[in-house]
Amino acid sequence: MNHKSAQTSVDKDWYLQDVGSILAHFKVSADQGLSSSQARKRHQQYGPNSIQSAGQRSIWQLLLAQFMDFMILVLIAAAIISGIFGDLTDTLVILVIVFLNAIIGFIQDYRAEKALEALRKMAANSARVRRDGELITIPVEQLVPGDIVILEAGNIIPADLRLIEVADFQVDEAPLTGESVAISKTTQALPGKVHALGDQINMAFKGCIVTKGRASGVCVAIGMDTEFGKIAALLQKDTDNKTPLQHRLTRFSKRLSLIILAVSALVFALGYLRGEPPVLMFLTAVSLAVAAIPEALPAVITVSLAFGAKRMVKSNALIRRLPAVEALGSVTTICSDKTGTLTQNRMSLEKILIAGKSYNTFPEANDATNDDNEDFWRLLGAALALNNDIEIDGDGKLLGEPTEIALYLAAQQSNYQKPELSRTMPRIGEIAFTSERKRMTTVHRVLQSLQGAKAEKPEIIAFTKGAPEVILDLCEDSLGENGRQPLHKKSIRQAVEQLAQQGYRVLAVAYREWNNLTPNELKIEANNIEQSLSFIALLALIDPPREGAQEAVAMCRSAGITPVMITGDHPATALAIAKRLGIAAEQDKVMGGEQLAQLSDAELKQAVLETAVYARVNPEQKIRIVESLQSHHQFVAMTGDGVNDAPALKKADVGVAMGKVGTEVAREAAQLVLLDDNFKTIVVAVREGRRIFDNIRKFIKYTMTSNTGEILTLLLAPLLGMPIPLLPIHILWINLLTDGLPGLALSAEPAERGVMQRPPRPASESIFAHGMWQHMIWVGLLIAVLSLSSFAWMNISSSTHWQTMVFTTLTFAQLAHVMAIRSERDSLFTLGILTNRPLLIAIMLTVALQLMVIYTPFLQTLFKTQALTLLELGVCSALACVVLIAVEIEKWLVRRGVLY
């Protein structure tokens, strides 16, 4: 069924139209809603109210992708050639390796897809609608244009709605606009022609959350036609970026293939010129090509990434695309959202200013020790506990505006309990907060004085809180710890300005009492209640940093990673938190969205090198920031949770979405999902990424050195007048045995010492940098010389087992080598032999299998081997140990700064 748009080009700007014309357009009554038949027809016409998944791959696509790697294609070609001209066993061994690699990769990719699907299902919800004149609850997918939707605090808005009724209604639009403060809504048509999403205050958008009040609205767009869906549609046009490892391996594979072809042709030509049979030399050349191909590399990479992904899940990081595991290790810049990632995503009361004095908290209701100030703190505690519209659901969760929740919790934690206070001071009226008034007042009958028996009990008391500039104009004096005193407005305004510059959201609290007046005699109107107030205190609130965030930022800096904050929040708040966390220094400044918009691409490219904090930015500007950083060859990780973050998540080298509060679109765009929404988890993931890259590099170092030894053994033997030292089956067995088990076990190697005290590897850096190619050549030559030395043993001992000795020495030498390269710098004896138990087990198993090939009659026939004497086996082992000693000497020279 085609999904037809719910809007026409004439009817897009719903916020400009009055409620009556919109209801007429959709042929619906606000009181009755759609009829069942209307809803059924529209569902058939417009389709389900759902967001189409961006980039989700089918099972067949996942499976086919496992065979698209260049190295795998080369390996399959080698298997075909080997099957045509050589032993069928060789072909079967190669194909088994390819198949096993594909199965491992498929399982891990499939698990990642299913895990994300589970997250998508967690975000599913229902909607309350009015149909046939009755309120019913339906699955969100069944919403249709024209439905009358009922909303209340705590609801996730199920579609784009034009509001038709509101009652003190506020919406958190951070998932769509990035604005961290809840927006008060209205029903009036807006003047003008064009309004930004954040200014469309008579609309409620899909995916946003109701924080306060109640409302009803008519559904004007569903699914992909919503603002939420439009951004999702844009994401589907982009393709995933390749990671540094993918770029490195692509270059490595192409160059290696050319080298293999050249060396194989050289061996064939040399043998042919020496008069060897052409068929024999062709088989030898094919064997050499098979020996040179690191067929276990794709499997090792996949398993390393899969194990890394599994470890990351335990640290609350869900990998959506396996290559992102390694890519995290190359990150040079982390662009992080503020709210929820670096901060706790909840407002907290941090300072109370009273008559020029600052307090971090106030004493508990039953713990005031000074009779002179006890009455004051009780009054303030009652104001915070009672002056709010907080509701508590059946699970005990607080529902309401974040600022009110913060004040409520501050009072509650200091033992000022709302239920108890409400019994002694029941609410008899309220004057609601509006964006125009910027204040809220609650009026209470006083049944029991807060000041005890020593003071006169007022009959009625009113608490007012709101913007300081508004509250101050309504006050005539102030109340301090020592009683009433003159109101010093100038000093209070200066304090408000200082707190705002420090990033705090500042509120003022005041009160008024009425004596000898009954509730029936008091008119609860703003003009009557909100005048001649007594100022109590300034309250400074902020979204505090997460626990461990400051340490995580410091770890980033020590690892050569630059943390950058990009937020839709207020510039002063963003800069204050950035300074507190160590992202920005005292002299740093914040760049706002308006300032950024005025910069050309060239100017922004220069500015990003000097800017650590961005505030009030829109989705397009986030992309510009990422692109400017990437133009300096920075490898950028970007965090986000809203639909507005999704394009930047897609553009970044590593997109990191929030798993708790993140939207479905953001998670689809990202490669990594933080299950705890914590910046610290990103740093843990970066450390894991570096460990994985190090281990992949160790495997390449190990397998390419081993293959170099095999190539040189086959190449040098004819040049030195020796017969072919290894048969094709020997080569395949060595590669399957030594590359497979020990190579896979290298993926379990712990992180190198100081892994987070070194700078990231440049994305353009060769995978063979830091002495790796030199190591491959000289150690490969050493392995070849030691293996061919077995041929010399034949002349000394008259042994006829020389080919089996070459075979065994080559195998044992590679096992000695893999133990030696567990660390690029530290000695094996410093690491400890038991610190990688899987590798130790793999080596023991490999030795056992090699001995079976030598001493089992059936396998002797298959592999054309002979049983070695104890002395001959000892010679093979001694020659292999030379490799371990030589590599330990190399690492000692590296530690002393002599090499590389």
Side-chain angles (χ1 to χ4, degrees):
M1 181 186 301
N2 292 328
H3 184 166
K4 182 180 177 182
S5 175
Q7 330 180 135
T8 67
S9 59
V10 179
D11 300 320
K12 285 184 178 179
D13 298 330
W14 302 109
Y15 55 88
L16 299 178
Q17 302 179 37
D18 62 77
V19 172
S21 63
I22 294 174
L23 292 174
H25 172 84
F26 286 103
K27 300 177 181 177
V28 64
S29 164
D31 296 329
Q32 295 296 312
L34 295 175
S35 67
S36 299
S37 60
Q38 280 180 306
R40 188 165 49 252
K41 290 178 181 178
R42 294 187 186 190
H43 186 68
Q44 293 174 348
Q45 180 182 2
Y46 298 117
N49 174 34
S50 60
I51 298 298
Q52 296 173 6
S53 182
Q56 187 176 5
R57 298 177 292 175
S58 67
I59 290 178
W60 293 111
Q61 288 174 320
L62 288 174
L63 186 59
L64 185 62
Q66 310 307 318
F67 297 94
M68 291 296 101
D69 184 86
F70 186 80
M71 289 298 296
I72 291 292
L73 296 176
V74 171
L75 193 59
I76 292 174
I80 294 172
I81 294 173
S82 180
I84 294 174
F85 296 99
D87 194 331
L88 187 60
T89 303
D90 300 352
T91 299
L92 293 176
V93 171
I94 296 175
L95 291 179
V96 166
I97 292 172
V98 171
F99 181 74
L100 290 176
N101 169 74
I103 291 298
I104 293 172
F106 170 78
I107 290 173
Q108 295 304 324
D109 277 359
Y110 181 74
R111 284 178 176 174
E113 292 285 342
K114 296 306 291 182
L116 200 73
E117 180 67 25
L119 284 178
R120 283 195 290 269
K121 290 180 179 178
M122 288 171 58
N125 52 72
S126 58
R128 290 181 68 214
V129 299
R130 187 174 288 125
R131 288 186 182 174
D132 297 316
E134 296 182 358
L135 281 180
I136 62 172
T137 300
I138 63 172
V140 71
E141 292 82 4
Q142 294 182 12
L143 267 181
V144 296
D147 258 324
I148 302 299
V149 181
I150 310 302
L151 299 172
E152 59 185 19
N155 288 163
I156 298 175
I157 298 171
D160 284 2
L161 310 176
R162 171 62 165 87
L163 297 173
I164 55 179
E165 292 182 8
V166 296
D168 195 18
F169 187 64
Q170 294 185 355
V171 177
D172 176 8
E173 294 184 343
L176 185 64
T177 66
E179 178 64 55
S180 63
V181 179
I183 306 299
S184 296
K185 295 293 185 175
T186 183
T187 61
Q188 300 301 314
L190 301 182
K193 294 183 178 180
V194 178
H195 291 265
L197 285 180
D199 297 327
Q200 295 177 20
I201 57 174
N202 56 10
M203 298 287 294
F205 298 107
K206 178 178 174 64
C208 300
I209 302 170
V210 179
T211 60
K212 186 178 182 181
R214 300 172 301 279
S216 63
V218 57
C219 177
V220 296
I222 62 171
M224 299 301 288
D225 291 321
T226 62
E227 296 298 332
F228 190 99
K230 290 173 185 176
I231 297 179
L234 292 175
L235 296 174
Q236 299 180 25
K237 298 178 181 179
D238 294 334
T239 56
D240 291 333
N241 298 326
K242 283 191 173 182
T243 69
L245 180 62
Q246 289 172 319
H247 284 297
R248 289 181 178 118
L249 289 180
T250 299
R251 294 194 299 266
F252 166 62
S253 300
K254 291 179 179 178
R255 292 172 183 173
L256 178 62
S257 299
L258 294 175
I259 293 172
I260 289 172
L261 291 174
V263 172
S264 298
L266 178 61
V267 169
F268 176 81
L270 289 175
Y272 181 76
L273 292 174
R274 289 181 66 248
E276 298 286 351
V279 174
L280 175 62
M281 290 314 302
F282 182 81
L283 290 175
T284 303
V286 170
S287 300
L288 187 61
V290 172
I293 296 173
E295 61 271 10
L297 179 59
V300 169
I301 291 175
T302 302
V303 171
S304 297
L305 296 177
F307 285 168
K310 185 176 180 181
R311 287 164 62 108
M312 286 184 184
V313 168
K314 294 179 180 179
S315 300
N316 292 311
L318 172 66
I319 297 297
R320 188 174 185 273
R321 293 281 183 264
L322 280 181
V325 179
E326 176 275 330
L328 283 161
S330 300
V331 165
T332 60
T333 303
I334 299 179
C335 296
S336 177
D337 190 18
K338 176 186 73 69
T339 305
T341 307
L342 292 167
T343 63
Q344 297 178 23
N345 194 23
R346 65 173 184 85
M347 299 299 289
S348 174
L349 177 62
E350 286 207 350
K351 289 186 179 182
I352 303 171
L353 271 71
I354 304 163
K357 296 181 181 179
S358 178
Y359 300 87
N360 293 330
T361 183
F362 46 79
E364 294 184 2
N366 301 322
D367 192 35
T369 57
N370 189 329
D371 289 339
D372 291 335
N373 61 31
E374 179 180 356
D375 294 343
F376 171 83
W377 288 108
R378 284 180 175 173
L379 185 68
L380 178 58
L384 299 189
L386 296 173
N387 184 249
N388 56 68
D389 288 327
I390 298 296
E391 295 182 9
I392 305 176
D393 66 11
D395 298 326
K397 181 180 178 181
L398 298 179
L399 303 177
E401 203 272 329
T403 301
E404 287 198 337
I405 291 177
L407 298 179
Y408 180 92
L409 289 174
Q412 187 181 63
Q413 290 166 3
S414 296
N415 205 26
Y416 294 96
Q417 305 292 339
K418 184 174 183 177
E420 179 181 330
L421 288 168
S422 294
R423 287 192 292 271
T424 59
M425 301 175 65
R427 182 186 294 193
I428 59 174
E430 68 175 283
I431 306 172
F433 175 92
T434 66
S435 57
E436 292 79 17
R437 286 169 29 79
K438 296 184 179 179
R439 62 187 182 274
M440 171 189 181
T441 296
T442 57
V443 185
H444 304 265
R445 183 180 180 185
V446 181
L447 302 179
Q448 177 181 330
S449 175
L450 289 167
Q451 299 170 314
K454 66 179 182 178
E456 182 182 359
K457 177 176 73 67
E459 296 292 336
I460 300 171
I461 190 170
F463 297 115
T464 302
K465 75 170 185 296
E469 66 274 14
V470 174
I471 300 298
L472 280 175
D473 290 339
L474 302 174
C475 294
E476 63 179 19
D477 60 13
S478 68
L479 181 69
E481 293 176 306
N482 298 318
R484 294 183 182 277
Q485 51 193 278
L487 180 64
H488 301 290
K489 293 186 178 181
K490 183 177 180 181
S491 62
I492 292 176
R493 289 192 176 102
Q494 290 175 344
V496 171
E497 185 176 347
Q498 291 175 354
L499 289 169
Q501 290 175 351
Q502 296 172 30
Y504 289 101
R505 183 179 185 187
V506 187
L507 295 177
V509 181
Y511 85 108
R512 183 181 176 186
E513 294 178 339
W514 288 265
N515 297 309
N516 302 318
L517 187 67
T518 66
N520 293 332
E521 297 172 334
L522 180 66
K523 287 185 178 182
I524 303 179
E525 297 176 352
N527 293 336
N528 186 43
I529 301 294
E530 296 173 341
Q531 61 176 323
S532 302
L533 303 181
S534 296
F535 186 86
I536 302 177
L538 290 178
L539 308 173
L541 302 99
I542 202 166
D543 184 3
R546 274 184 175 270
E547 183 179 353
Q550 187 173 5
E551 293 78 5
V553 168
M555 190 179 296
C556 280
R557 294 205 177 278
S558 70
I561 300 171
T562 302
V564 174
M565 180 188 290
I566 304 179
T567 178
D569 216 332
H570 191 278
T573 303
L575 187 59
I577 293 295
K579 288 179 178 179
R580 207 186 275 199
L581 292 172
I583 292 176
E586 283 300 323
Q587 68 275 13
D588 288 344
K589 297 186 180 300
V590 61
M591 180 180 289
E594 293 183 3
Q595 180 184 356
L596 195 155
Q598 296 173 359
L599 298 180
S600 66
D601 290 343
E603 290 171 333
L604 181 58
K605 184 176 178 180
Q606 181 61 36
V608 293
L609 298 176
E610 304 166 355
T611 306
V613 185
Y614 301 86
R616 287 284 196 254
V617 294
N618 61 38
E620 293 79 10
Q621 291 173 334
K622 290 183 180 182
I623 293 177
R624 287 188 66 198
I625 294 170
V626 171
E627 289 177 337
S628 297
L629 288 167
Q630 290 172 333
S631 71
H632 291 287
H633 305 292
Q634 297 293 302
F635 199 76
V636 183
M638 179 81 186
T639 75
D641 55 9
V643 176
N644 64 315
D645 296 317
L649 294 178
K650 196 80 170 182
K651 181 62 182 175
D653 298 292
V654 180
V656 183
M658 303 298 109
K660 282 187 175 180
V661 300
T663 62
E664 180 181 348
V665 176
R667 291 195 293 266
E668 283 283 0
Q671 296 164 304
L672 172 68
V673 177
L674 301 184
L675 301 180
D676 60 356
D677 296 1
N678 197 337
F679 181 83
K680 185 178 180 180
T681 303
I682 305 176
V683 180
V684 173
V686 167
R687 185 180 189 277
E688 182 66 16
R690 291 190 174 190
R691 183 192 73 85
I692 288 170
F693 178 78
D694 285 348
N695 289 347
I696 290 173
R697 191 172 182 271
K698 288 171 189 175
F699 172 77
I700 294 174
K701 183 178 185 179
Y702 162 63
T703 191
M704 291 310 299
T705 302
S706 300
N707 290 355
T708 301
E710 296 167 24
I711 291 171
L712 292 176
T713 300
L714 289 170
L715 191 61
L716 291 177
L719 294 177
L720 296 175
M722 299 178 181
I724 300 298
L726 295 170
L727 299 175
I729 191 66
H730 295 160
I731 297 169
L732 285 173
W733 176 255
I734 291 174
N735 279 271
L736 177 63
L737 204 61
T738 60
D739 285 4
L741 294 175
L744 289 173
L746 272 177
S747 63
E749 190 65 36
E752 290 267 0
R753 180 166 51 89
V755 69
M756 290 298 284
Q757 279 74 51
R758 70 185 191 210
R761 295 185 184 275
S764 58
E765 181 182 272
S766 169
I767 203 165
F768 298 105
H770 306 288
M772 184 166 157
W773 68 267
Q774 295 97 322
H775 174 95
M776 286 163 40
I777 292 175
W778 82 261
V779 176
L781 180 60
L782 176 63
I783 290 175
V785 170
L786 292 171
S787 299
L788 291 176
S789 297
S790 304
F791 187 80
W793 179 259
M794 178 184 67
N795 297 324
I796 297 174
S797 62
S798 301
S799 172
T800 59
H801 306 158
W802 69 271
Q803 196 171 55
T804 302
M805 289 187 66
V806 172
F807 178 32
T808 304
T809 301
L810 193 56
T811 301
F812 286 0
Q814 293 182 18
L815 297 179
H817 180 235
V818 75
M819 288 293 289
I821 63 163
R822 284 181 52 200
S823 171
E824 295 195 9
R825 295 178 58 87
D826 294 335
S827 168
L828 172 64
F829 307 105
T830 300
L831 295 175
I833 296 177
L834 299 178
T835 51
N836 187 344
R837 294 180 183 273
L839 180 59
L840 187 61
I841 294 171
I843 289 175
M844 295 171 63
L845 182 58
T846 301
V847 170
L849 291 172
Q850 180 67 19
L851 294 179
M852 287 176 60
V853 168
I854 296 173
Y855 295 107
T856 304
F858 169 74
L859 294 177
Q860 285 178 337
T861 303
L862 181 63
F863 284 89
K864 299 178 177 60
T865 57
Q866 295 173 300
L868 300 178
T869 65
L870 188 61
L871 177 60
E872 289 169 339
L873 192 61
V875 170
C876 295
S877 302
L879 290 172
C881 288
V882 174
V883 176
L884 176 62
I885 296 170
V887 175
E888 285 294 337
I889 293 173
E890 178 194 41
K891 290 192 291 185
W892 179 76
L893 294 173
V894 169
R895 291 195 297 272
R896 293 179 64 88
V898 177
L899 289 179
Y900 318 134

